[in-house]
Amino acid sequence: MFTEGEVTEPSYIDIIHNRGSFADPAIPVEVRIANASAPGSQRKPIKLVEAAVRLERDKAREAERIRLPKEFWPQVWCLFDRDDHVVLGQALKQAREGNVRVAFSHPCFEVWRLLHHKAVTGTFGQVCDLATARLPFARSVANVKIVLPEQIPMGSFGLAKKRALQMNAVHEDHLPLQNRDPYTDVFAFVEQGLGITSY
């Protein structure tokens, strides 16, 4: 896993990995943040994807060498936002071509967090602070970038996913992913990357 955020996404992943219900409890899912100590300059989507493609290639070779069945091959994911990245389309294209999976949010990861509490309508005009301000705990927590366990209500995954699908459906299919505001598909990472069906 490569994350654009140094705190928000890793803390969310830790929380749900520890409390989530897995599709197959007999198959443990190990999560490693590959860029945990990377500086901010290496956390832009294009840099994340470039590193992820290299890791994916190495892991695929290793899995093939030891004849690991394909269903157990490691998955490499990137989790990043729209923000104001200018080469986002290129990053998404490289990820597709390099077999790297992307969990994408527009304008930011906080849209996914917000969906755990309420439906999202309208647009944020690419301004993350507008999404962050709508979080129910935004005024009571000094740094809303840190995800606390009590901010992710138990039993909220299914509802957050349903709300995300409804929100995403507002955008036309022909519209490029990087232009869909608001948008998130973090639920795909939760289900496919972590193997979690609920939390």
Side-chain angles (χ1 to χ4, degrees), residues 34-60:
N35 66 327
S37 60
S41 63
Q42 296 301 306
R43 291 181 171 274
K44 305 295 182 205
I46 195 72
K47 295 290 188 183
L48 295 180
V49 169
E50 289 168 352
V53 167
R54 287 191 298 274
L55 181 62
E56 165 64 29
R57 191 172 43 241
D58 293 345
K59 292 296 182 183

mmCIF file with all atom_site columns, all heavy atoms in Angstrom, residues 34-60:
data_model
loop_
_atom_site.group_PDB
_atom_site.id
_atom_site.type_symbol
_atom_site.label_atom_id
_atom_site.label_alt_id
_atom_site.label_comp_id
_atom_site.label_asym_id
_atom_site.label_entity_id
_atom_site.label_seq_id
_atom_site.pdbx_PDB_ins_code
_atom_site.Cartn_x
_atom_site.Cartn_y
_atom_site.Cartn_z
_atom_site.occupancy
_atom_site.B_iso_or_equiv
_atom_site.pdbx_formal_charge
_atom_site.auth_seq_id
_atom_site.auth_comp_id
_atom_site.auth_asym_id
_atom_site.auth_atom_id
_atom_site.pdbx_PDB_model_num
ATOM 1   N N   . ALA A 1 34 ? 4.033  0.835   2.275   1.00 0.00 ? 34 ALA A N   1
ATOM 2   C CA  . ALA A 1 34 ? 5.360  0.770   1.654   1.00 0.00 ? 34 ALA A CA  1
ATOM 3   C C   . ALA A 1 34 ? 6.109  2.096   1.716   1.00 0.00 ? 34 ALA A C   1
ATOM 4   O O   . ALA A 1 34 ? 7.337  2.107   1.699   1.00 0.00 ? 34 ALA A O   1
ATOM 5   C CB  . ALA A 1 34 ? 5.228  0.294   0.205   1.00 0.00 ? 34 ALA A CB  1
ATOM 6   N N   . ASN A 1 35 ? 5.383  3.192   1.776   1.00 0.00 ? 35 ASN A N   1
ATOM 7   C CA  . ASN A 1 35 ? 6.032  4.508   1.779   1.00 0.00 ? 35 ASN A CA  1
ATOM 8   C C   . ASN A 1 35 ? 5.844  5.228   3.115   1.00 0.00 ? 35 ASN A C   1
ATOM 9   O O   . ASN A 1 35 ? 5.769  6.447   3.173   1.00 0.00 ? 35 ASN A O   1
ATOM 10  C CB  . ASN A 1 35 ? 5.497  5.369   0.633   1.00 0.00 ? 35 ASN A CB  1
ATOM 11  C CG  . ASN A 1 35 ? 4.033  5.733   0.795   1.00 0.00 ? 35 ASN A CG  1
ATOM 12  O OD1 . ASN A 1 35 ? 3.253  4.966   1.342   1.00 0.00 ? 35 ASN A OD1 1
ATOM 13  N ND2 . ASN A 1 35 ? 3.664  6.889   0.304   1.00 0.00 ? 35 ASN A ND2 1
ATOM 14  N N   . ALA A 1 36 ? 5.807  4.483   4.205   1.00 0.00 ? 36 ALA A N   1
ATOM 15  C CA  . ALA A 1 36 ? 5.531  5.059   5.527   1.00 0.00 ? 36 ALA A CA  1
ATOM 16  C C   . ALA A 1 36 ? 6.501  6.170   5.906   1.00 0.00 ? 36 ALA A C   1
ATOM 17  O O   . ALA A 1 36 ? 6.119  7.134   6.563   1.00 0.00 ? 36 ALA A O   1
ATOM 18  C CB  . ALA A 1 36 ? 5.546  3.968   6.588   1.00 0.00 ? 36 ALA A CB  1
ATOM 19  N N   . SER A 1 37 ? 7.747  6.065   5.502   1.00 0.00 ? 37 SER A N   1
ATOM 20  C CA  . SER A 1 37 ? 8.732  7.083   5.884   1.00 0.00 ? 37 SER A CA  1
ATOM 21  C C   . SER A 1 37 ? 9.101  8.023   4.740   1.00 0.00 ? 37 SER A C   1
ATOM 22  O O   . SER A 1 37 ? 10.045 8.806   4.853   1.00 0.00 ? 37 SER A O   1
ATOM 23  C CB  . SER A 1 37 ? 9.998  6.407   6.425   1.00 0.00 ? 37 SER A CB  1
ATOM 24  O OG  . SER A 1 37 ? 10.554 5.567   5.436   1.00 0.00 ? 37 SER A OG  1
ATOM 25  N N   . ALA A 1 38 ? 8.353  7.981   3.661   1.00 0.00 ? 38 ALA A N   1
ATOM 26  C CA  . ALA A 1 38 ? 8.654  8.824   2.492   1.00 0.00 ? 38 ALA A CA  1
ATOM 27  C C   . ALA A 1 38 ? 8.365  10.290  2.794   1.00 0.00 ? 38 ALA A C   1
ATOM 28  O O   . ALA A 1 38 ? 7.371  10.617  3.447   1.00 0.00 ? 38 ALA A O   1
ATOM 29  C CB  . ALA A 1 38 ? 7.833  8.379   1.289   1.00 0.00 ? 38 ALA A CB  1
ATOM 30  N N   . PRO A 1 39 ? 9.216  11.192  2.290   1.00 0.00 ? 39 PRO A N   1
ATOM 31  C CA  . PRO A 1 39 ? 8.952  12.625  2.476   1.00 0.00 ? 39 PRO A CA  1
ATOM 32  C C   . PRO A 1 39 ? 7.788  13.069  1.590   1.00 0.00 ? 39 PRO A C   1
ATOM 33  O O   . PRO A 1 39 ? 7.388  12.368  0.655   1.00 0.00 ? 39 PRO A O   1
ATOM 34  C CB  . PRO A 1 39 ? 10.263 13.274  2.027   1.00 0.00 ? 39 PRO A CB  1
ATOM 35  C CG  . PRO A 1 39 ? 10.863 12.293  1.068   1.00 0.00 ? 39 PRO A CG  1
ATOM 36  C CD  . PRO A 1 39 ? 10.445 10.931  1.554   1.00 0.00 ? 39 PRO A CD  1
ATOM 37  N N   . GLY A 1 40 ? 7.267  14.247  1.872   1.00 0.00 ? 40 GLY A N   1
ATOM 38  C CA  . GLY A 1 40 ? 6.127  14.787  1.129   1.00 0.00 ? 40 GLY A CA  1
ATOM 39  C C   . GLY A 1 40 ? 6.347  14.853  -0.367  1.00 0.00 ? 40 GLY A C   1
ATOM 40  O O   . GLY A 1 40 ? 5.426  14.639  -1.153  1.00 0.00 ? 40 GLY A O   1
ATOM 41  N N   . SER A 1 41 ? 7.570  15.126  -0.792  1.00 0.00 ? 41 SER A N   1
ATOM 42  C CA  . SER A 1 41 ? 7.857  15.240  -2.227  1.00 0.00 ? 41 SER A CA  1
ATOM 43  C C   . SER A 1 41 ? 7.686  13.911  -2.956  1.00 0.00 ? 41 SER A C   1
ATOM 44  O O   . SER A 1 41 ? 7.495  13.891  -4.169  1.00 0.00 ? 41 SER A O   1
ATOM 45  C CB  . SER A 1 41 ? 9.284  15.753  -2.443  1.00 0.00 ? 41 SER A CB  1
ATOM 46  O OG  . SER A 1 41 ? 10.225 14.828  -1.919  1.00 0.00 ? 41 SER A OG  1
ATOM 47  N N   . GLN A 1 42 ? 7.716  12.813  -2.234  1.00 0.00 ? 42 GLN A N   1
ATOM 48  C CA  . GLN A 1 42 ? 7.552  11.486  -2.832  1.00 0.00 ? 42 GLN A CA  1
ATOM 49  C C   . GLN A 1 42 ? 6.130  10.947  -2.652  1.00 0.00 ? 42 GLN A C   1
ATOM 50  O O   . GLN A 1 42 ? 5.871  9.779   -2.908  1.00 0.00 ? 42 GLN A O   1
ATOM 51  C CB  . GLN A 1 42 ? 8.566  10.508  -2.218  1.00 0.00 ? 42 GLN A CB  1
ATOM 52  C CG  . GLN A 1 42 ? 10.005 10.869  -2.501  1.00 0.00 ? 42 GLN A CG  1
ATOM 53  C CD  . GLN A 1 42 ? 10.308 10.912  -3.985  1.00 0.00 ? 42 GLN A CD  1
ATOM 54  O OE1 . GLN A 1 42 ? 10.052 9.951   -4.712  1.00 0.00 ? 42 GLN A OE1 1
ATOM 55  N NE2 . GLN A 1 42 ? 10.819 12.034  -4.468  1.00 0.00 ? 42 GLN A NE2 1
ATOM 56  N N   . ARG A 1 43 ? 5.213  11.808  -2.227  1.00 0.00 ? 43 ARG A N   1
ATOM 57  C CA  . ARG A 1 43 ? 3.845  11.382  -1.950  1.00 0.00 ? 43 ARG A CA  1
ATOM 58  C C   . ARG A 1 43 ? 2.837  11.916  -2.964  1.00 0.00 ? 43 ARG A C   1
ATOM 59  O O   . ARG A 1 43 ? 1.638  11.845  -2.743  1.00 0.00 ? 43 ARG A O   1
ATOM 60  C CB  . ARG A 1 43 ? 3.441  11.789  -0.531  1.00 0.00 ? 43 ARG A CB  1
ATOM 61  C CG  . ARG A 1 43 ? 4.194  10.994  0.519   1.00 0.00 ? 43 ARG A CG  1
ATOM 62  C CD  . ARG A 1 43 ? 3.784  11.378  1.927   1.00 0.00 ? 43 ARG A CD  1
ATOM 63  N NE  . ARG A 1 43 ? 4.367  10.457  2.877   1.00 0.00 ? 43 ARG A NE  1
ATOM 64  C CZ  . ARG A 1 43 ? 3.827  9.290   3.251   1.00 0.00 ? 43 ARG A CZ  1
ATOM 65  N NH1 . ARG A 1 43 ? 2.678  8.913   2.743   1.00 0.00 ? 43 ARG A NH1 1
ATOM 66  N NH2 . ARG A 1 43 ? 4.428  8.531   4.116   1.00 0.00 ? 43 ARG A NH2 1
ATOM 67  N N   . LYS A 1 44 ? 3.299  12.445  -4.058  1.00 0.00 ? 44 LYS A N   1
ATOM 68  C CA  . LYS A 1 44 ? 2.403  12.863  -5.135  1.00 0.00 ? 44 LYS A CA  1
ATOM 69  C C   . LYS A 1 44 ? 1.957  11.621  -5.898  1.00 0.00 ? 44 LYS A C   1
ATOM 70  O O   . LYS A 1 44 ? 2.710  10.637  -5.993  1.00 0.00 ? 44 LYS A O   1
ATOM 71  C CB  . LYS A 1 44 ? 3.107  13.825  -6.095  1.00 0.00 ? 44 LYS A CB  1
ATOM 72  C CG  . LYS A 1 44 ? 3.710  15.048  -5.422  1.00 0.00 ? 44 LYS A CG  1
ATOM 73  C CD  . LYS A 1 44 ? 2.662  15.921  -4.822  1.00 0.00 ? 44 LYS A CD  1
ATOM 74  C CE  . LYS A 1 44 ? 3.289  17.163  -4.202  1.00 0.00 ? 44 LYS A CE  1
ATOM 75  N NZ  . LYS A 1 44 ? 2.474  17.725  -3.149  1.00 0.00 ? 44 LYS A NZ  1
ATOM 76  N N   . PRO A 1 45 ? 0.754  11.617  -6.471  1.00 0.00 ? 45 PRO A N   1
ATOM 77  C CA  . PRO A 1 45 ? 0.257  10.417  -7.158  1.00 0.00 ? 45 PRO A CA  1
ATOM 78  C C   . PRO A 1 45 ? 1.230  9.812   -8.164  1.00 0.00 ? 45 PRO A C   1
ATOM 79  O O   . PRO A 1 45 ? 1.413  8.594   -8.178  1.00 0.00 ? 45 PRO A O   1
ATOM 80  C CB  . PRO A 1 45 ? -1.024 10.911  -7.835  1.00 0.00 ? 45 PRO A CB  1
ATOM 81  C CG  . PRO A 1 45 ? -1.527 11.961  -6.906  1.00 0.00 ? 45 PRO A CG  1
ATOM 82  C CD  . PRO A 1 45 ? -0.279 12.661  -6.419  1.00 0.00 ? 45 PRO A CD  1
ATOM 83  N N   . ILE A 1 46 ? 1.864  10.623  -8.988  1.00 0.00 ? 46 ILE A N   1
ATOM 84  C CA  . ILE A 1 46 ? 2.755  10.063  -10.010 1.00 0.00 ? 46 ILE A CA  1
ATOM 85  C C   . ILE A 1 46 ? 3.939  9.357   -9.371  1.00 0.00 ? 46 ILE A C   1
ATOM 86  O O   . ILE A 1 46 ? 4.368  8.287   -9.814  1.00 0.00 ? 46 ILE A O   1
ATOM 87  C CB  . ILE A 1 46 ? 3.206  11.149  -11.040 1.00 0.00 ? 46 ILE A CB  1
ATOM 88  C CG1 . ILE A 1 46 ? 3.820  10.506  -12.280 1.00 0.00 ? 46 ILE A CG1 1
ATOM 89  C CG2 . ILE A 1 46 ? 4.135  12.159  -10.421 1.00 0.00 ? 46 ILE A CG2 1
ATOM 90  C CD1 . ILE A 1 46 ? 2.829  9.827   -13.174 1.00 0.00 ? 46 ILE A CD1 1
ATOM 91  N N   . LYS A 1 47 ? 4.472  9.903   -8.289  1.00 0.00 ? 47 LYS A N   1
ATOM 92  C CA  . LYS A 1 47 ? 5.599  9.278   -7.583  1.00 0.00 ? 47 LYS A CA  1
ATOM 93  C C   . LYS A 1 47 ? 5.145  7.987   -6.895  1.00 0.00 ? 47 LYS A C   1
ATOM 94  O O   . LYS A 1 47 ? 5.873  6.983   -6.887  1.00 0.00 ? 47 LYS A O   1
ATOM 95  C CB  . LYS A 1 47 ? 6.202  10.235  -6.550  1.00 0.00 ? 47 LYS A CB  1
ATOM 96  C CG  . LYS A 1 47 ? 6.839  11.462  -7.146  1.00 0.00 ? 47 LYS A CG  1
ATOM 97  C CD  . LYS A 1 47 ? 8.103  11.091  -7.875  1.00 0.00 ? 47 LYS A CD  1
ATOM 98  C CE  . LYS A 1 47 ? 8.847  12.337  -8.313  1.00 0.00 ? 47 LYS A CE  1
ATOM 99  N NZ  . LYS A 1 47 ? 10.044 12.015  -9.077  1.00 0.00 ? 47 LYS A NZ  1
ATOM 100 N N   . LEU A 1 48 ? 3.949  8.019   -6.300  1.00 0.00 ? 48 LEU A N   1
ATOM 101 C CA  . LEU A 1 48 ? 3.412  6.817   -5.666  1.00 0.00 ? 48 LEU A CA  1
ATOM 102 C C   . LEU A 1 48 ? 3.252  5.700   -6.685  1.00 0.00 ? 48 LEU A C   1
ATOM 103 O O   . LEU A 1 48 ? 3.642  4.557   -6.436  1.00 0.00 ? 48 LEU A O   1
ATOM 104 C CB  . LEU A 1 48 ? 2.049  7.106   -5.029  1.00 0.00 ? 48 LEU A CB  1
ATOM 105 C CG  . LEU A 1 48 ? 1.976  8.086   -3.868  1.00 0.00 ? 48 LEU A CG  1
ATOM 106 C CD1 . LEU A 1 48 ? 0.536  8.220   -3.397  1.00 0.00 ? 48 LEU A CD1 1
ATOM 107 C CD2 . LEU A 1 48 ? 2.867  7.662   -2.726  1.00 0.00 ? 48 LEU A CD2 1
ATOM 108 N N   . VAL A 1 49 ? 2.677  6.036   -7.825  1.00 0.00 ? 49 VAL A N   1
ATOM 109 C CA  . VAL A 1 49 ? 2.430  5.029   -8.857  1.00 0.00 ? 49 VAL A CA  1
ATOM 110 C C   . VAL A 1 49 ? 3.739  4.475   -9.398  1.00 0.00 ? 49 VAL A C   1
ATOM 111 O O   . VAL A 1 49 ? 3.877  3.259   -9.585  1.00 0.00 ? 49 VAL A O   1
ATOM 112 C CB  . VAL A 1 49 ? 1.535  5.597   -9.981  1.00 0.00 ? 49 VAL A CB  1
ATOM 113 C CG1 . VAL A 1 49 ? 1.503  4.667   -11.178 1.00 0.00 ? 49 VAL A CG1 1
ATOM 114 C CG2 . VAL A 1 49 ? 0.127  5.850   -9.459  1.00 0.00 ? 49 VAL A CG2 1
ATOM 115 N N   . GLU A 1 50 ? 4.705  5.337   -9.654  1.00 0.00 ? 50 GLU A N   1
ATOM 116 C CA  . GLU A 1 50 ? 5.996  4.853   -10.164 1.00 0.00 ? 50 GLU A CA  1
ATOM 117 C C   . GLU A 1 50 ? 6.618  3.840   -9.208  1.00 0.00 ? 50 GLU A C   1
ATOM 118 O O   . GLU A 1 50 ? 7.093  2.775   -9.620  1.00 0.00 ? 50 GLU A O   1
ATOM 119 C CB  . GLU A 1 50 ? 6.950  6.018   -10.406 1.00 0.00 ? 50 GLU A CB  1
ATOM 120 C CG  . GLU A 1 50 ? 6.554  6.870   -11.601 1.00 0.00 ? 50 GLU A CG  1
ATOM 121 C CD  . GLU A 1 50 ? 7.315  8.185   -11.695 1.00 0.00 ? 50 GLU A CD  1
ATOM 122 O OE1 . GLU A 1 50 ? 8.069  8.530   -10.747 1.00 0.00 ? 50 GLU A OE1 1
ATOM 123 O OE2 . GLU A 1 50 ? 7.160  8.876   -12.720 1.00 0.00 ? 50 GLU A OE2 1
ATOM 124 N N   . ALA A 1 51 ? 6.613  4.151   -7.915  1.00 0.00 ? 51 ALA A N   1
ATOM 125 C CA  . ALA A 1 51 ? 7.161  3.232   -6.908  1.00 0.00 ? 51 ALA A CA  1
ATOM 126 C C   . ALA A 1 51 ? 6.314  1.963   -6.815  1.00 0.00 ? 51 ALA A C   1
ATOM 127 O O   . ALA A 1 51 ? 6.843  0.856   -6.677  1.00 0.00 ? 51 ALA A O   1
ATOM 128 C CB  . ALA A 1 51 ? 7.251  3.929   -5.556  1.00 0.00 ? 51 ALA A CB  1
ATOM 129 N N   . ALA A 1 52 ? 5.001  2.121   -6.890  1.00 0.00 ? 52 ALA A N   1
ATOM 130 C CA  . ALA A 1 52 ? 4.095  0.974   -6.788  1.00 0.00 ? 52 ALA A CA  1
ATOM 131 C C   . ALA A 1 52 ? 4.256  0.029   -7.972  1.00 0.00 ? 52 ALA A C   1
ATOM 132 O O   . ALA A 1 52 ? 4.215  -1.197  -7.800  1.00 0.00 ? 52 ALA A O   1
ATOM 133 C CB  . ALA A 1 52 ? 2.648  1.462   -6.681  1.00 0.00 ? 52 ALA A CB  1
ATOM 134 N N   . VAL A 1 53 ? 4.439  0.568   -9.164  1.00 0.00 ? 53 VAL A N   1
ATOM 135 C CA  . VAL A 1 53 ? 4.630  -0.274  -10.352 1.00 0.00 ? 53 VAL A CA  1
ATOM 136 C C   . VAL A 1 53 ? 5.907  -1.105  -10.208 1.00 0.00 ? 53 VAL A C   1
ATOM 137 O O   . VAL A 1 53 ? 5.924  -2.303  -10.524 1.00 0.00 ? 53 VAL A O   1
ATOM 138 C CB  . VAL A 1 53 ? 4.641  0.573   -11.646 1.00 0.00 ? 53 VAL A CB  1
ATOM 139 C CG1 . VAL A 1 53 ? 5.145  -0.225  -12.839 1.00 0.00 ? 53 VAL A CG1 1
ATOM 140 C CG2 . VAL A 1 53 ? 3.246  1.132   -11.924 1.00 0.00 ? 53 VAL A CG2 1
ATOM 141 N N   . ARG A 1 54 ? 6.967  -0.484  -9.702  1.00 0.00 ? 54 ARG A N   1
ATOM 142 C CA  . ARG A 1 54 ? 8.215  -1.242  -9.479  1.00 0.00 ? 54 ARG A CA  1
ATOM 143 C C   . ARG A 1 54 ? 7.993  -2.365  -8.469  1.00 0.00 ? 54 ARG A C   1
ATOM 144 O O   . ARG A 1 54 ? 8.431  -3.501  -8.673  1.00 0.00 ? 54 ARG A O   1
ATOM 145 C CB  . ARG A 1 54 ? 9.331  -0.315  -8.997  1.00 0.00 ? 54 ARG A CB  1
ATOM 146 C CG  . ARG A 1 54 ? 9.881  0.602   -10.077 1.00 0.00 ? 54 ARG A CG  1
ATOM 147 C CD  . ARG A 1 54 ? 11.150 1.314   -9.635  1.00 0.00 ? 54 ARG A CD  1
ATOM 148 N NE  . ARG A 1 54 ? 10.958 2.192   -8.490  1.00 0.00 ? 54 ARG A NE  1
ATOM 149 C CZ  . ARG A 1 54 ? 10.559 3.467   -8.558  1.00 0.00 ? 54 ARG A CZ  1
ATOM 150 N NH1 . ARG A 1 54 ? 10.317 4.020   -9.745  1.00 0.00 ? 54 ARG A NH1 1
ATOM 151 N NH2 . ARG A 1 54 ? 10.428 4.189   -7.465  1.00 0.00 ? 54 ARG A NH2 1
ATOM 152 N N   . LEU A 1 55 ? 7.294  -2.049  -7.369  1.00 0.00 ? 55 LEU A N   1
ATOM 153 C CA  . LEU A 1 55 ? 7.034  -3.054  -6.342  1.00 0.00 ? 55 LEU A CA  1
ATOM 154 C C   . LEU A 1 55 ? 6.145  -4.168  -6.886  1.00 0.00 ? 55 LEU A C   1
ATOM 155 O O   . LEU A 1 55 ? 6.398  -5.352  -6.629  1.00 0.00 ? 55 LEU A O   1
ATOM 156 C CB  . LEU A 1 55 ? 6.387  -2.412  -5.108  1.00 0.00 ? 55 LEU A CB  1
ATOM 157 C CG  . LEU A 1 55 ? 6.088  -3.359  -3.950  1.00 0.00 ? 55 LEU A CG  1
ATOM 158 C CD1 . LEU A 1 55 ? 7.367  -3.985  -3.404  1.00 0.00 ? 55 LEU A CD1 1
ATOM 159 C CD2 . LEU A 1 55 ? 5.345  -2.617  -2.842  1.00 0.00 ? 55 LEU A CD2 1
ATOM 160 N N   . GLU A 1 56 ? 5.126  -3.807  -7.630  1.00 0.00 ? 56 GLU A N   1
ATOM 161 C CA  . GLU A 1 56 ? 4.221  -4.800  -8.228  1.00 0.00 ? 56 GLU A CA  1
ATOM 162 C C   . GLU A 1 56 ? 4.999  -5.750  -9.129  1.00 0.00 ? 56 GLU A C   1
ATOM 163 O O   . GLU A 1 56 ? 4.806  -6.969  -9.070  1.00 0.00 ? 56 GLU A O   1
ATOM 164 C CB  . GLU A 1 56 ? 3.113  -4.095  -9.029  1.00 0.00 ? 56 GLU A CB  1
ATOM 165 C CG  . GLU A 1 56 ? 2.325  -4.983  -9.970  1.00 0.00 ? 56 GLU A CG  1
ATOM 166 C CD  . GLU A 1 56 ? 1.527  -6.069  -9.292  1.00 0.00 ? 56 GLU A CD  1
ATOM 167 O OE1 . GLU A 1 56 ? 1.104  -5.880  -8.141  1.00 0.00 ? 56 GLU A OE1 1
ATOM 168 O OE2 . GLU A 1 56 ? 1.338  -7.132  -9.912  1.00 0.00 ? 56 GLU A OE2 1
ATOM 169 N N   . ARG A 1 57 ? 5.863  -5.212  -9.942  1.00 0.00 ? 57 ARG A N   1
ATOM 170 C CA  . ARG A 1 57 ? 6.675  -6.031  -10.849 1.00 0.00 ? 57 ARG A CA  1
ATOM 171 C C   . ARG A 1 57 ? 7.553  -7.005  -10.049 1.00 0.00 ? 57 ARG A C   1
ATOM 172 O O   . ARG A 1 57 ? 7.617  -8.196  -10.348 1.00 0.00 ? 57 ARG A O   1
ATOM 173 C CB  . ARG A 1 57 ? 7.525  -5.124  -11.739 1.00 0.00 ? 57 ARG A CB  1
ATOM 174 C CG  . ARG A 1 57 ? 8.209  -5.815  -12.873 1.00 0.00 ? 57 ARG A CG  1
ATOM 175 C CD  . ARG A 1 57 ? 8.881  -4.861  -13.851 1.00 0.00 ? 57 ARG A CD  1
ATOM 176 N NE  . ARG A 1 57 ? 9.604  -3.786  -13.188 1.00 0.00 ? 57 ARG A NE  1
ATOM 177 C CZ  . ARG A 1 57 ? 9.336  -2.481  -13.334 1.00 0.00 ? 57 ARG A CZ  1
ATOM 178 N NH1 . ARG A 1 57 ? 8.358  -2.092  -14.132 1.00 0.00 ? 57 ARG A NH1 1
ATOM 179 N NH2 . ARG A 1 57 ? 10.038 -1.569  -12.707 1.00 0.00 ? 57 ARG A NH2 1
ATOM 180 N N   . ASP A 1 58 ? 8.205  -6.504  -8.993  1.00 0.00 ? 58 ASP A N   1
ATOM 181 C CA  . ASP A 1 58 ? 9.069  -7.350  -8.160  1.00 0.00 ? 58 ASP A CA  1
ATOM 182 C C   . ASP A 1 58 ? 8.271  -8.439  -7.454  1.00 0.00 ? 58 ASP A C   1
ATOM 183 O O   . ASP A 1 58 ? 8.688  -9.606  -7.411  1.00 0.00 ? 58 ASP A O   1
ATOM 184 C CB  . ASP A 1 58 ? 9.810  -6.509  -7.118  1.00 0.00 ? 58 ASP A CB  1
ATOM 185 C CG  . ASP A 1 58 ? 10.830 -5.564  -7.732  1.00 0.00 ? 58 ASP A CG  1
ATOM 186 O OD1 . ASP A 1 58 ? 11.180 -5.744  -8.933  1.00 0.00 ? 58 ASP A OD1 1
ATOM 187 O OD2 . ASP A 1 58 ? 11.276 -4.640  -7.021  1.00 0.00 ? 58 ASP A OD2 1
ATOM 188 N N   . LYS A 1 59 ? 7.131  -8.084  -6.891  1.00 0.00 ? 59 LYS A N   1
ATOM 189 C CA  . LYS A 1 59 ? 6.303  -9.051  -6.167  1.00 0.00 ? 59 LYS A CA  1
ATOM 190 C C   . LYS A 1 59 ? 5.720  -10.106 -7.107  1.00 0.00 ? 59 LYS A C   1
ATOM 191 O O   . LYS A 1 59 ? 5.618  -11.285 -6.741  1.00 0.00 ? 59 LYS A O   1
ATOM 192 C CB  . LYS A 1 59 ? 5.166  -8.346  -5.417  1.00 0.00 ? 59 LYS A CB  1
ATOM 193 C CG  . LYS A 1 59 ? 5.636  -7.479  -4.265  1.00 0.00 ? 59 LYS A CG  1
ATOM 194 C CD  . LYS A 1 59 ? 6.279  -8.320  -3.196  1.00 0.00 ? 59 LYS A CD  1
ATOM 195 C CE  . LYS A 1 59 ? 6.728  -7.488  -2.012  1.00 0.00 ? 59 LYS A CE  1
ATOM 196 N NZ  . LYS A 1 59 ? 7.423  -8.308  -1.010  1.00 0.00 ? 59 LYS A NZ  1
ATOM 197 N N   . ALA A 1 60 ? 5.349  -9.706  -8.321  1.00 0.00 ? 60 ALA A N   1
ATOM 198 C CA  . ALA A 1 60 ? 4.817  -10.658 -9.297  1.00 0.00 ? 60 ALA A CA  1
ATOM 199 C C   . ALA A 1 60 ? 5.898  -11.649 -9.710  1.00 0.00 ? 60 ALA A C   1
ATOM 200 O O   . ALA A 1 60 ? 5.634  -12.858 -9.814  1.00 0.00 ? 60 ALA A O   1
ATOM 201 C CB  . ALA A 1 60 ? 4.267  -9.923  -10.516 1.00 0.00 ? 60 ALA A CB  1
#
